[in-house]
Amino acid sequence: MALKIVKGSIDRMFDKNLQDLVRGIRNHKEDEAKYISTCIDEIKQELKQDNIAVKANAVCKLTYLQMLGYDVSWAAFNIVEVMSSSKFTYKRIGYLAASQCFHESTDVIMLTTNQIRKDLSSPNQYDTGVALTGLSCFVTPDLARDLANDIMTLMSHTKPYIRKKAVLIMYKVFLKYPESLRPAFPRLKEKLEDPDPGVQSAAVNVICELARRNPKNYLSLAPLFFKLMTSSTNNWVLIKIIKLFGALTPLEPRLGKKLIEPLTNLIHRIYLFFSQILHHLSAITLVCFSWLIAFLFFITVLISLSSGMPNHSASIQLCVQKLRILIEDSDQNLKYLGLLAMSKILKTHPKSVQSHKDLILQCLDDKDESIRLRALDLLYGMVSKKNLMEIVKKLMLHVDKAEGTTYRDELLTKIIDICSQSNYQYITNFEWYISILVELTRLEGTRHGHLIASQMLDVAIRVKAIRVFAVAQMATLLDNAHMLTGNTQRNGICEVLYAAAWICGEFSEHLENPMETLEAMLRPKVATLPGHIQAVYVQNAAKLFATVLKSQEGNTDSTTAQEASQLMIDRLPLFVQSANLEVQERASCILQLVKYIQKLQQKDVEVSEEVCALFAGELNPVAPKAQKKVPIPDGLDLDAWINEPPSESESEDEQPKAIFSKEEPKHSRPRHTEVDEKELARRREARKQEQANNPFYIKASPSSQKVYQETPGVEHIPVVQIDLSVPLKVPGLPMSDQYVKLEEERRQKERAEKKKKDKKKRKEKRSGRGKKHDSGPESEEDITPAHMVDIVTEEMPENALPSDDDERDPADPHKALDIDLDKPLADSEKLPVRSHRAAEVLKSPAEDEEGENVSSLEPKKKSSKEKREKKKDKDKDRKVKMLFESGLSETWERRLISVMLTFIFLFYSFDRKAYDIQGNLQDGSQVVVSVIFENKCDSFLKSMEFNVLDSLNSKLQRPEGSGPHDSLTIPFQLPPGVSNEARFVFTVQSIIMPQKLKGTLTFIVKNEESSTHEKLDFKLHFTCTSYLITTPCYSDAFAKLLESGDLKSSSIRLEGVNMPFHHLLARICFHHHFSVVERIDSCASMYSRSIQGHHVCLLVKISSQTVSVDAKCDEPTLLGNVLDEIKQTFSQC
Amino acid sequence: MIKAILIFNNHGKPRLIRFYQYFAEDMQQQIIRETFHLVSKRDDNVCNFLEGGSLIGGSDYKLIYRHYATLYFVFCVDSSESELGILDLIQVFVETLDKCFENVCELDLIFHMDKVHYILQEVVMGGMVLETNMNEIIAQVEVQNRLEKSESLPFILH
């Protein structure tokens, strides 16, 4: 065996390690791929070996190759093997590889559950840490469900290093397994007050992340966070909390009132500090870093707080002014953040930001694209009726200047967004807007042609007054189409022709010269446009044709009408030959129609009315959600079957038929009825017919396709390329600038008129109250639209449901986490707890004797051999020195002479020294006792057995099959200096009385010379408090509870309590698991609930060192005991 | 939440990639290329934030980056993280690397990608910031290094 190991290490020497691999890749620059593929072959060989060191090395190299883009998922099983190594070094390599390449659909993840559980409970905190880190990257819903309880236990681990990781990973667990949130939440909340700052910050982190998505569920934590905010010195925690308040305050205005004063003070102080160092800044130094962060976010919070409180406008002015300084600063990061903060303020206080328009427009010229985009974002919220034209004009200038299509496209979309926001609220002159849109079509190479097109359509359809103008503009656009279609291949702008053609066709009655437009629409060049646009052209040419006919009606000279028909007949065949089915179909239809019309025309028959009837009726816009909002009529069940569901045996092709074909009685005879010759012949004929008509049916002779082959393809049509590098002015189009001027004049005129009127009015009203505002800046409402604009609202179905449905994506994992956390836990919300650990251990006693983690995946024999080797080694170092120290009661000290073992019980009961007895949150009759065993001696402790003398009321839960006096084996050994936690479950029948259980712990002390058997006696004290669970309660629910009259009351007095009231309350909360319901001055109501559902209510009053506690509970004995315990707590201090 | 941490050099060669959301390997490479393209064309005197690339989530995400000599450190984060906080975190991470490798340079990252990962694991876990205190990070990294050393010794002796 030794030989094997030696061989293994020699092998290893010849293997490439990660450094060699990297070096090799760097030396093979020319044929890197080839070199790597040979390396992968080597790795495959290495993975086949038994030596775990070789495997780990191979996996490490794979992790590197994964970074270079190589798929290494084929090695997933080997990665799991390395993960399950008992050595930390290899385990870490394995978990790293797993975290880099495992994901939810990796199937070997299923195999890891037990391994991860084992690592989580490893005595070595770094094994646990590595497992937690790895798990955080590849946790799946299954893993989350299976391991939630284990991780929850780790949240109260002795080592802060583990605690903080366990707390943090809970967020991932919640996301994957939302049911775990409620059971885990009380403990998570506890961690907000953890003594270790790292754990505290992790808890804050998790809760903030949760609250960001569902803030209303976390309102009850506000007081706690407020306390943390004023006490925390950790910038990270501070920022997170401030951000959290930002989310909470809009929901609870009272919170804002409370916060605003301390925050305003802070802002002044910070600003003072800030202004002092601002001068010395070239770039951000770390000194002011944290200050800046706090500064910026205090501001944003302050703003969101004060929303709805008009009297705080002064502080907002202050903020905005400070932000302006940031934005004007030379440092780009500050500028960026200043703009970001501005955009947050803008949401609640648009007015105060709008006054800094100049600054923001200036930022559009910044060399930094990030800053320009931020500024654009701000502009969106800043527009008003008054400044819209001005802002858009500025933006148009930037469009012309902009380099790079991405930024230009961004500008374009922003212009359209700005103009079209909230149903064109800010547009006073639609002619101006149309001309802006037309100007935008001159942008070359934009991707947003369809966006402009949809705007044109929207405006033309919904603003009736603008149609005449729009149609004229579109007609010019169609006439100049060649300018837009210059290079169709990469130009998305031709999409606007779609809109132009449709508008000209649909509203053709407004056209000045329909004949000209018709001609423009039927130019041969149109055939180079994309198919869907051609289709619209053809269809709308027909509409135009109808209009021309109509206009010529009654006209004795029918030449124009005939010319139109001739034009159609001449030009349409081009489209009939189109390769696009839609175009072809429409064109041939219309062509035949026109031919027929021409015949009628020649006979002087009036046809225009009939032709117009083809396109009669008005199209109204339909709201995008209209379909969804149609109410379901009474008595219609959409889920019900129309027919009986088809039976399983029915063949598939019959299923869809069943809906339409006449229902055949199920019991009738089978389908294959006799068919006579005639019927068969008929069917054959029908099939032939069908095949002939089916375009997808490949026929013997392709005669019907000849037509396509003979006609020249699209490629043969000569296309003249026009160089459009210079933005062209489309002739005949009015410039939007003109409208700005016109609008300006119009407004001035209006103002003048108004003034006159005002004067008149004033003259009339001289006797009234003094002066009115006369020439002040015109307010929003004063600006009247240029023409009476009727913005047609989108149509909704009659009696549509008014409810605005949830906008959130149903796939959003946070939706599942929208859970009321204040409701007491129900029995059904258990976390799946694996059977007791001790029981698990008993199943595999061989492993426990070794005391090492044996992977379930590894061949058992070998691993145990390796371990024996190692243990020998350890034994040598063991020293004989033995001491004893106890963290517990006197009985212990007497007993233990040779062994130093501290039996620290995690506390939660009132005397704070004992042990953690917690009611099992999910089961009313179970109590979980967590015990931490710490070996303080220099010897090895093994074969630890835990036993308790059961009483009638309380019994230790033992694995099935063991007798009532059998002891439980503790599933770990303790090397010197190591501690570990074990948990024991007790079933308790009655919880109304405190009780003590006697127990013993036996174990073997092993050192170099000998091993001795030792025994420890102890007592477990189950207080009544330990049966209580901190349960939050609202004051109204509390009041109802008291009113119900089911509760018995009792009271105690505590004399000489010398502590502030809030300390007193905190003490009761902490030691006795109560929560404060309400506090008024020196009086507070508190609530708690036992694991069996008893309500315990307290009313605590303090007056000059005397505390009176009036209590009510539905179980008087329990109440008495709890009160005694409270009394004891305070007598000790 | 942090969605991804990317370290690449001035030529776009990845030195460390850490995605906290699953992307297939070819997609990861595309994201690296896109991010490099976005970041590398920016001057050194512009701000350290920019809107995320289209591949990694678009405008809901921000890229926060720092450029040190030959390396770019890029964090892709969502709106719950504070911009300056992440910049600070990058600084902490780099200073930690500097302490652990003694004057860190690109070569250290090239040859010890695994070690860089282990250090990063003490700073960020599953996309959430785990520790920001440099001394604490270094202490934990060192204990684990010692543990690793103690494990490798008896093996060689055999």
Side-chain angles (χ1 to χ4, degrees):
Chain A
M1 184 202 65
L3 190 70
K4 204 169 178 184
I5 290 176
V6 170
K7 193 169 162 281
S9 51
I10 288 173
D11 278 350
R12 206 183 151 199
M13 269 194 250
F14 293 113
D15 287 339
K16 272 196 206 104
N17 63 13
L18 176 62
Q19 280 78 26
D20 299 327
L21 175 77
V22 176
R23 210 166 287 132
I25 293 175
R26 285 164 72 83
N27 289 337
H28 290 78
K29 285 235 166 75
E30 313 81 44
D31 52 347
E32 197 183 287
K34 201 177 141 203
Y35 178 77
I36 290 178
S37 75
T38 56
C39 286
I40 290 181
D41 289 340
E42 276 171 33
I43 289 170
K44 281 183 179 160
Q45 288 306 317
E46 285 167 26
L47 288 175
K48 280 183 192 148
Q49 293 189 36
D50 287 338
N51 191 327
I52 192 74
V54 177
K55 269 187 193 164
N57 184 41
V59 165
C60 185
K61 287 190 280 183
L62 281 180
T63 314
Y64 184 82
L65 293 179
Q66 195 270 346
M67 179 179 79
L68 300 183
Y70 290 85
D71 177 23
V72 298
S73 53
W74 49 269
F77 187 76
N78 303 101
I79 292 172
V80 176
E81 277 182 308
V82 176
M83 273 161 74
S84 56
S85 159
S86 57
K87 276 201 181 186
F88 170 74
T89 317
Y90 304 148
K91 194 182 281 299
R92 185 156 77 155
I93 292 172
Y95 272 106
L96 175 62
S99 67
Q100 287 291 80
C101 63
F102 282 11
H103 51 95
E104 276 201 10
S105 50
T106 308
D107 38 10
V108 291
I109 284 190
M110 289 185 306
L111 303 176
T112 58
T113 316
N114 278 319
Q115 179 57 42
I116 294 173
R117 179 175 286 129
K118 206 167 263 176
D119 288 334
L120 290 184
S121 56
S122 160
N124 179 350
Q125 60 162 324
Y126 292 102
D127 282 353
T128 314
V130 157
L132 284 173
T133 309
L135 185 62
S136 72
C137 295
F138 57 79
V139 59
T140 61
D142 285 343
L143 279 179
R145 189 192 59 237
D146 294 342
L147 297 173
N149 205 46
D150 301 68
I151 298 170
M152 218 166 105
T153 318
L154 289 178
M155 279 164 73
S156 10
H157 197 272
T158 40
K159 294 279 184 345
Y161 179 72
I162 297 303
R163 282 209 301 274
K164 73 180 175 194
K165 287 195 168 191
V167 168
L168 218 50
I169 202 179
M170 276 321 271
Y171 178 64
K172 292 284 173 119
V173 173
F174 296 151
L175 283 184
K176 300 287 176 189
Y177 179 53
E179 289 86 343
S180 61
L181 177 58
R182 274 172 44 74
F185 193 70
R187 196 169 289 190
L188 184 62
K189 211 169 113 181
E190 269 168 44
K191 295 297 146 201
L192 284 176
E193 294 176 295
D194 196 278
D196 184 84
V199 182
Q200 205 181 47
S201 124
V204 171
N205 209 338
V206 171
I207 291 186
C208 289
E209 204 64 56
L210 288 169
R212 198 164 68 92
R213 312 298 180 117
N214 302 303
K216 64 175 190 309
N217 299 337
Y218 299 87
L219 264 178
S220 60
L221 291 182
L224 193 56
F225 275 113
F226 191 73
K227 208 175 86 192
L228 275 179
M229 189 177 77
T230 45
S231 63
S232 177
T233 51
N234 183 337
N235 287 322
W236 274 92
V237 172
L238 217 57
I239 298 160
K240 288 274 173 191
I241 295 175
I242 291 169
K243 281 202 154 192
L244 177 71
F245 275 126
L248 291 183
T249 37
L251 301 172
E252 179 55 280
R254 277 182 299 172
L255 197 60
K257 257 181 223 158
K258 205 172 167 184
L259 284 171
I260 199 140
E261 206 187 292
L263 286 180
T264 325
N265 288 339
L266 251 169
I267 218 163
H268 278 290
R269 235 175 56 212
I270 295 169
Y271 178 65
L272 203 67
F273 176 82
F274 184 64
S275 61
Q276 281 165 1
I277 57 169
L278 194 66
H279 309 293
H280 311 292
L281 277 181
S282 54
I284 306 179
T285 56
L286 285 174
V287 189
C288 71
F289 209 56
S290 49
W291 279 104
L292 269 177
I293 298 166
F295 173 63
L296 281 167
F297 286 99
F298 271 117
I299 292 171
T300 46
V301 171
L302 188 65
I303 302 321
S304 54
L305 300 184
S306 41
S307 56
M309 275 178 283
N311 48 341
H312 284 293
S313 59
S315 48
I316 287 143
Q317 283 302 331
L318 174 81
C319 292
V320 179
Q321 274 163 22
K322 305 287 184 282
L323 282 177
R324 193 181 167 111
I325 297 171
L326 277 189
I327 296 170
E328 282 171 338
D329 193 79
S330 58
D331 187 274
Q332 297 285 311
N333 283 341
L334 294 189
K335 200 177 253 187
Y336 180 89
L337 291 169
L339 289 171
L340 197 67
M342 279 270 200
S343 68
K344 291 197 174 150
I345 298 177
L346 188 69
K347 281 183 196 130
T348 49
H349 295 83
K351 283 254 167 65
S352 42
V353 180
Q354 271 161 7
S355 55
H356 298 282
K357 194 181 69 197
D358 57 320
L359 184 68
I360 288 150
L361 283 173
Q362 207 178 306
C363 286
L364 281 179
D365 293 323
D366 201 281
K367 61 180 184 299
D368 189 347
E369 197 174 305
S370 295
I371 285 173
R372 288 199 304 254
L373 289 175
R374 278 279 127 240
L376 266 183
D377 214 35
L378 264 174
L379 278 181
Y380 176 80
M382 282 175 52
V383 289
S384 61
K385 279 183 182 169
K386 211 171 84 183
N387 62 17
L388 176 74
M389 283 185 169
E390 188 195 341
I391 288 180
V392 171
K393 189 181 160 191
K394 284 251 166 64
L395 289 178
M396 292 297 283
L397 283 178
H398 281 280
V399 172
D400 283 342
K401 276 195 289 182
E403 299 157 6
T405 45
T406 20
Y407 179 58
R408 211 163 52 168
D409 280 354
E410 185 66 30
L411 271 170
L412 192 153
T413 40
K414 265 283 132 56
I415 291 176
I416 289 180
D417 278 356
I418 285 175
C419 293
S420 65
Q421 64 176 312
S422 34
N423 206 9
Y424 308 103
Q425 188 190 346
Y426 300 116
I427 296 185
T428 49
N429 187 334
F430 276 92
E431 288 185 12
W432 165 81
Y433 185 46
I434 293 273
S435 57
I436 285 283
L437 287 175
V438 172
E439 265 177 59
L440 285 175
T441 62
R442 274 184 264 130
L443 272 186
E444 213 194 329
T446 177
R447 289 181 290 117
H448 294 301
H450 59 96
L451 192 65
I452 303 175
S454 65
Q455 280 293 303
M456 286 175 169
L457 286 172
D458 200 37
V459 172
I461 293 170
R462 292 173 59 188
V463 187
K464 280 186 181 147
I466 200 68
R467 281 181 193 164
V468 181
F469 180 78
V471 166
Q473 291 292 305
M474 294 304 126
T476 344
L477 206 58
L478 283 178
D479 202 34
N480 296 302
H482 57 278
M483 291 187 173
L484 302 176
T485 55
N487 27 16
T488 31
Q489 286 78 16
R490 56 181 192 81
N491 208 337
I493 203 68
C494 57
E495 288 288 330
V496 297
L497 293 177
Y498 177 99
W502 189 86
I503 292 170
C504 285
E506 184 67 24
F507 307 119
S508 48
E509 68 267 22
H510 301 301
L511 267 179
E512 247 175 59
N513 197 341
M515 198 54 198
E516 230 168 63
T517 312
L518 184 63
E519 198 274 329
M521 277 168 83
L522 292 170
R523 282 179 199 153
K525 269 196 72 179
V526 172
T528 58
L529 291 171
H532 65 285
I533 299 178
Q534 283 186 54
V536 169
Y537 263 73
V538 171
Q539 187 74 15
N540 286 288
K543 288 185 200 167
L544 270 179
F545 175 64
T547 318
V548 172
L549 288 190
K550 198 177 176 192
S551 65
Q552 295 301 321
E553 188 150 310
N555 198 339
T556 43
D557 175 26
S558 62
T559 43
T560 327
Q562 276 173 10
E563 265 171 32
S565 323
Q566 195 52 47
L567 183 71
M568 294 287 276
I569 291 167
D570 289 348
R571 300 282 175 84
L572 277 177
L574 177 65
F575 297 100
V576 176
Q577 292 157 1
S578 169
N580 188 300
L581 272 182
E582 174 93 15
V583 180
Q584 190 200 354
E585 202 173 22
R586 290 188 188 202
S588 64
C589 240
I590 291 165
L591 183 61
Q592 293 312 314
L593 188 74
V594 176
K595 277 182 181 164
Y596 182 65
I597 291 169
Q598 198 181 31
K599 262 187 222 163
L600 290 177
Q601 273 176 339
Q602 279 156 2
K603 290 178 200 160
D604 275 337
V605 182
E606 288 284 326
V607 284
S608 66
E609 206 165 302
E610 282 91 339
V611 179
C612 284
L614 281 176
F615 307 108
E618 198 173 350
L619 291 175
N620 284 329
V622 175
K625 279 188 195 158
Q627 179 67 46
K628 236 174 31 182
K629 300 223 166 175
V630 178
I632 299 172
D634 286 337
L636 175 64
D637 181 5
L638 288 175
D639 293 327
W641 286 93
I642 296 173
N643 284 348
E644 282 302 303
S647 63
E648 292 288 311
S649 57
E650 251 176 322
S651 67
E652 249 174 61
D653 53 346
E654 277 175 337
Q655 279 179 18
K657 252 187 202 167
I659 298 172
F660 299 106
S661 64
K662 268 184 195 162
E663 229 187 314
E664 285 168 308
K666 280 269 148 65
H667 54 268
S668 73
R669 61 207 161 98
R671 282 211 164 173
H672 25 79
T673 44
E674 298 272 313
V675 190
D676 57 354
E677 276 293 296
K678 236 182 175 179
E679 174 69 11
L680 272 178
R682 201 185 59 76
R683 282 190 193 172
R684 208 171 293 136
E685 195 54 44
R687 195 162 57 235
K688 264 189 199 161
Q689 199 70 37
E690 195 193 306
Q691 282 170 5
N693 293 335
N694 186 350
F696 300 109
Y697 192 81
I698 301 167
K699 290 160 209 101
S701 69
S703 57
S704 64
Q705 294 185 339
K706 260 184 188 163
V707 187
Y708 300 99
Q709 288 166 356
E710 281 166 7
T711 58
V714 177
E715 310 86 65
H716 300 291
I717 298 169
V719 178
V720 186
Q721 294 280 339
I722 297 171
D723 188 14
L724 271 179
S725 56
V726 190
L728 280 172
K729 298 250 184 303
V730 180
L733 289 187
M735 291 296 295
S736 59
D737 287 3
Q738 297 169 356
Y739 283 96
V740 179
K741 253 183 233 159
L742 283 174
E743 180 72 9
E744 212 41 49
E745 281 166 21
R746 186 181 67 84
R747 283 186 194 173
Q748 229 150 31
K749 226 196 258 168
E750 237 167 51
R751 227 175 292 157
E753 270 170 32
K754 208 167 191 186
K755 240 188 218 168
K756 263 188 217 160
K757 267 188 206 163
D758 273 2
K759 263 184 197 162
K760 264 187 206 163
K761 266 188 200 164
R762 229 180 297 154
K763 268 179 196 165
E764 289 161 13
K765 282 193 181 178
R766 264 273 154 84
S767 53
R769 291 168 284 133
K771 274 185 198 172
K772 259 192 175 179
H773 61 289
D774 50 358
S775 58
E778 53 187 336
S779 64
E780 285 285 288
E781 295 74 33
D782 288 348
I783 304 171
T784 48
H787 17 127
M788 269 327 283
V789 178
D790 166 33
I791 301 178
V792 182
T793 45
E794 292 158 325
E795 279 195 347
M796 275 293 210
E798 279 169 44
N799 53 39
L801 303 170
S803 68
D804 232 338
D805 26 19
D806 203 353
E807 296 285 325
R808 275 164 94 171
D809 177 13
D812 183 4
H814 293 277
K815 206 174 173 186
L817 286 179
D818 191 357
I819 298 167
D820 182 7
L821 295 164
D822 296 329
K823 235 177 20 193
L825 273 174
D827 284 349
S828 56
E829 292 179 277
K830 289 184 182 188
L831 273 189
V833 187
R834 277 269 259 64
S835 57
H836 194 268
R837 280 223 184 108
E840 177 198 338
V841 162
L842 282 179
K843 280 179 212 149
S844 50
E847 280 180 27
D848 300 307
E849 266 170 19
E850 292 299 328
E852 304 274 356
N853 291 318
V854 183
S855 148
S856 50
L857 290 164
E858 210 138 281
K860 230 178 208 169
K861 245 199 273 170
K862 205 202 305 161
S863 56
S864 57
K865 268 180 206 164
E866 270 176 19
K867 267 151 208 162
R868 229 166 273 155
E869 292 288 301
K870 216 166 73 185
K871 222 168 74 188
K872 241 190 244 166
D873 200 38
K874 272 185 190 164
D875 287 346
K876 274 179 212 159
D877 299 332
R878 221 154 269 156
K879 283 174 190 162
V880 203
K881 194 183 160 201
M882 289 176 191
L883 270 166
F884 168 64
E885 198 184 282
S886 164
L888 267 192
S889 53
E890 308 83 272
T891 42
W892 290 75
E893 278 168 354
R894 247 189 304 116
R895 190 58 198 90
L896 290 169
I897 305 154
S898 55
V899 182
M900 183 171 80
L901 173 127
T902 328
F903 202 172
I904 305 171
F905 291 103
L906 258 189
F907 51 89
Y908 231 80
S909 62
F910 70 88
D911 62 7
R912 266 213 279 173
K913 270 183 273 169
Y915 21 85
D916 175 22
I917 302 178
Q918 269 200 332
N920 187 331
L921 298 173
Q922 293 116 31
D923 192 335
S925 64
Q926 276 193 355
V927 177
V928 180
V929 180
S930 312
V931 183
I932 290 183
F933 299 90
E934 187 175 354
N935 182 359
K936 288 196 170 176
C937 74
D938 292 335
S939 295
F940 202 85
L941 303 185
K942 55 183 260 182
S943 302
M944 289 189 280
E945 292 192 340
F946 179 92
N947 201 2
V948 172
L949 214 58
D950 288 350
S951 71
L952 274 176
N953 190 28
S954 316
K955 289 188 173 64
L956 175 62
Q957 264 196 5
R958 297 180 167 87
E960 270 175 54
S962 50
H965 304 297
D966 290 354
S967 45
L968 288 179
T969 312
I970 291 165
F972 47 78
Q973 299 182 326
L974 289 177
V978 170
S979 68
N980 202 349
E981 182 189 8
R983 306 175 83 199
F984 304 96
V985 181
F986 288 81
T987 23
V988 186
Q989 280 178 351
S990 160
I991 59 157
I992 56 170
M993 295 281 278
Q995 50 191 319
K996 286 180 182 162
L997 290 182
K998 279 187 179 169
T1000 44
L1001 182 78
T1002 56
F1003 48 88
I1004 295 172
V1005 184
K1006 200 164 184 302
N1007 56 35
E1008 220 168 61
E1009 289 96 45
S1010 63
S1011 56
T1012 45
H1013 214 94
E1014 294 287 344
K1015 192 177 154 210
L1016 259 174
D1017 286 337
F1018 60 88
K1019 268 186 205 161
L1020 282 175
H1021 191 165
F1022 287 81
T1023 59
C1024 281
T1025 293
S1026 55
Y1027 302 126
L1028 296 183
I1029 298 169
T1030 315
T1031 321
C1033 182
Y1034 287 122
S1035 51
D1036 43 349
F1038 187 79
K1040 245 182 221 157
L1041 198 63
L1042 290 181
E1043 279 166 15
S1044 68
D1046 304 335
L1047 309 181
K1048 314 279 182 306
S1049 62
S1050 170
S1051 63
I1052 48 165
R1053 286 174 86 79
L1054 308 168
E1055 304 284 346
V1057 176
N1058 197 7
M1059 61 170 79
F1061 190 53
H1062 65 272
H1063 280 189
L1064 178 105
L1065 293 183
R1067 228 164 225 270
I1068 297 177
C1069 288
F1070 183 75
H1071 294 307
H1072 300 285
H1073 310 179
F1074 276 89
S1075 62
V1076 178
V1077 179
E1078 208 169 10
R1079 187 190 152 183
I1080 303 155
D1081 299 330
S1082 58
C1083 181
S1085 49
M1086 307 177 90
Y1087 175 79
S1088 185
R1089 187 166 158 273
S1090 82
I1091 53 173
Q1092 293 182 354
H1094 303 291
H1095 303 285
V1096 187
C1097 310
L1098 299 185
L1099 183 68
V1100 186
K1101 284 182 221 160
I1102 190 163
S1103 58
S1104 63
Q1105 298 205 357
T1106 309
V1107 178
S1108 69
V1109 180
D1110 294 309
K1112 281 193 171 178
C1113 175
D1114 38 11
E1115 177 49 67
T1117 328
L1118 177 69
L1119 182 63
N1121 288 317
V1122 170
L1123 288 181
D1124 283 348
E1125 284 160 18
I1126 292 177
K1127 207 168 182 176
Q1128 212 168 337
T1129 309
F1130 287 99
S1131 66
Q1132 281 170 351
C1133 56
Chain B
M1 289 272 285
I2 300 169
K3 196 170 187 181
I5 296 171
L6 308 174
I7 305 177
F8 43 74
N9 71 0
N10 288 349
H11 306 290
K13 282 236 170 195
R15 293 306 176 208
L16 177 130
I17 56 172
R18 174 75 275 201
F19 285 90
Y20 293 104
Q21 181 190 334
Y22 174 69
F23 288 103
E25 273 77 12
D26 50 344
M27 193 59 177
Q28 293 186 352
Q29 296 299 314
Q30 278 183 42
I31 290 173
I32 296 169
R33 273 197 294 276
E34 189 194 47
T35 314
F36 171 69
H37 180 73
L38 284 173
V39 168
S40 63
K41 69 177 181 199
R42 293 171 65 82
D43 288 347
D44 271 348
N45 57 356
V46 297
C47 71
N48 300 76
F49 322 111
L50 71 158
E51 242 99 288
S54 55
L55 296 175
I56 201 160
S59 52
D60 293 345
Y61 287 85
K62 276 207 182 79
L63 298 177
I64 298 174
Y65 72 98
R66 266 175 187 260
H67 189 194
Y68 293 93
T70 60
L71 290 175
Y72 284 99
F73 288 71
V74 186
F75 280 45
C76 176
V77 303
D78 70 9
S79 60
S80 72
E81 301 295 343
S82 120
E83 288 80 4
L84 287 173
I86 294 289
L87 266 190
D88 195 17
L89 189 73
I90 299 178
Q91 181 70 25
V92 167
F93 179 48
V94 174
E95 278 181 34
T96 313
L97 288 178
D98 199 48
K99 287 250 168 71
C100 292
F101 285 108
E102 284 163 17
N103 286 330
V104 69
C105 67
E106 193 185 340
L107 279 177
D108 292 316
L109 272 77
I110 295 172
F111 285 106
H112 302 284
M113 183 206 70
D114 48 343
K115 295 205 171 60
V116 181
H117 265 296
Y118 299 141
I119 295 168
L120 182 61
Q121 280 178 356
E122 297 303 323
V123 185
V124 179
M125 182 178 137
M128 319 236 296
V129 179
L130 179 68
E131 186 60 69
T132 50
N133 180 345
M134 189 159 51
N135 296 331
E136 172 72 17
I137 299 166
I138 292 173
Q140 296 297 353
V141 169
E142 276 174 357
V143 177
Q144 292 179 59
N145 288 345
R146 278 205 296 278
L147 193 62
E148 188 174 349
K149 241 177 218 162
S150 72
E151 279 184 344
S152 66
L153 279 175
F155 192 86
I156 289 168
L157 285 179
H158 271 289

